[in-house]
Amino acid sequence: MPADSADSADSADPVVADLHAHTTVSDGTLTLDQVPAAASNAGVDWVAVTDHDRIHPGLDAPVVERDGVRIVRGIELRVDAGFERLDLLGYGVEHTDALDAEIDRLQRDRRERGAAILDAVEERLGVDLGVEPRAGLGRPHIARAVDESDAPYDYAAAFDELIGDDGPCYVAREVTPLDEGLDLLADACALVGLAHPFRYERVDEALSVARERDAVDAVERFYPYGRAVDDARIDRVAAEADLLKTGGTDAHERTLGVAGLTGSAFAPVRKRLPEPVPIEEGSAGATTDEQD
């Protein structure tokens, strides 16, 4: 029977590495300063901050150690594979001119797209949501603002009836072509993986990208889909293509460790990551943590 992919490699062992989390720099609710405490509360030793189309500006090295927690500087980059849009996870990111330029382009588009969605929602509902277009702005921010307004929609209904892909206020955004995205991440990251394969409509084609592209090192095996999925398919692809298996909560709220890697499952991934740079408390770079 298909299993819930949130299970770790051995459900009897605790998750020590949650390699998929978002902060307020994209559409999460955790600030960077709150990540160590959230990780400690979950018993997690390693967290990858993988904000959407952004590298967190408060992380000054590919891996840092803050308050006893190792934080991996990552990115979740959406790419257009032709048959579907996919998400790539880059871990241990180094800044490169090419990747930084593409991130700047994507964030300009996010601001413009966010403004267009806001205008459409506010005009349709007759409300002022009080949200300013900014880098990192995503639909979850707008849905939260709708939920908190006087409009008769909660967060889920805002997506279902207003700003979802088929909604009347939806505006498409630009994404990076697959080949370009793979090249950018391969040059900048210690490890590149395919995110949450069972969230795509065309799972086999998505897995073929992981199997056939040399730039892909890993596939996200442990993920809280909230439904039963056939994880054996991931295991077969990983074995056939010699891919590492990653996992994480995909946290947009404040709870970590819902999914991830046990110590034994994390060991081969850990070998690919740079050594952590210790960061003294209160000295973690310019904490440009909120959206700019």
Side-chain angles (χ1 to χ4, degrees):
M1 176 180 292
D4 183 345
S5 193
D7 292 339
S8 58
D10 183 344
S11 57
D13 294 330
V15 169
V16 302
D18 186 334
L19 300 183
H20 194 162
H22 300 277
T23 72
T24 52
V25 157
S26 61
D27 58 352
T29 55
L30 280 172
T31 67
L32 183 60
D33 287 342
Q34 293 168 338
V35 168
S40 296
N41 288 340
V44 171
D45 299 325
W46 289 73
V47 178
V49 170
T50 52
D51 283 307
H52 295 287
D53 301 328
R54 294 192 83 182
I55 300 171
H56 199 295
L59 294 171
D60 295 330
V63 183
V64 303
E65 182 173 345
R66 292 185 63 178
D67 301 329
V69 175
R70 289 81 167 178
I71 302 175
V72 180
R73 187 167 67 187
I75 185 171
E76 184 171 12
L77 183 68
R78 179 152 295 181
V79 295
D80 188 347
F83 62 87
E84 192 171 352
R85 292 182 171 188
L86 307 176
D87 292 315
L88 301 176
L89 292 166
Y91 301 108
V93 185
E94 293 276 12
H95 284 279
T96 65
D97 290 343
L99 180 57
D100 287 346
E102 179 63 3
I103 288 172
D104 288 344
R105 183 186 76 85
L106 294 171
Q107 294 307 316
R108 286 194 300 272
D109 178 70
R110 275 185 176 272
R111 283 191 291 269
E112 294 168 1
R113 181 228 195 185
I117 294 177
L118 283 168
D119 287 345
V121 171
E122 289 178 341
E123 180 177 356
R124 187 176 185 87
L125 300 182
V127 299
D128 181 355
L129 296 179
V131 177
E132 293 295 325
R134 58 188 183 270
L137 180 65
R139 285 182 290 174
H141 299 105
I142 298 171
R144 290 184 192 121
V146 171
D147 188 13
E148 294 167 2
S149 76
D150 293 332
Y153 298 94
D154 61 13
Y155 181 91
F159 267 98
D160 292 342
E161 301 185 39
L162 296 171
I163 61 175
D165 289 358
D166 298 320
C169 301
Y170 174 72
V171 177
R173 67 179 178 90
E174 294 185 18
V175 299
T176 308
L178 173 62
D179 289 342
E180 180 182 352
L182 287 172
D183 288 343
L184 290 170
L185 295 185
D187 288 343
C189 301
L191 189 69
V192 179
L194 174 70
H196 41 59
F198 291 109
R199 283 186 56 181
Y200 307 121
E201 291 184 7
R202 299 170 68 170
V203 176
D204 287 336
E205 288 91 335
L207 288 174
S208 291
V209 170
R211 181 191 293 110
E212 298 170 4
R213 299 301 185 105
D214 291 340
V216 179
D217 309 294
V219 60
E220 192 167 45
R221 164 62 168 79
F222 305 103
Y223 185 87
Y225 292 102
R227 56 186 171 87
V229 296
D230 185 7
D231 286 326
R233 293 169 70 182
I234 309 295
D235 293 334
R236 287 193 296 271
V237 169
E240 292 166 1
D242 195 23
L243 297 172
L244 295 171
K245 292 186 281 190
T246 65
T249 299
D250 196 3
H252 289 77
E253 303 300 330
R254 297 175 180 273
T255 301
L256 299 174
V258 174
L261 301 176
T262 65
S264 59
F266 180 55
V269 176
R270 170 66 185 91
K271 292 178 181 178
R272 294 288 299 273
L273 296 173
E275 287 300 312
V277 175
I279 302 295
E280 294 182 7
E281 186 175 355
S283 65
T287 54
T288 316
D289 204 40
E290 295 296 332
Q291 317 279 346
D292 57 11

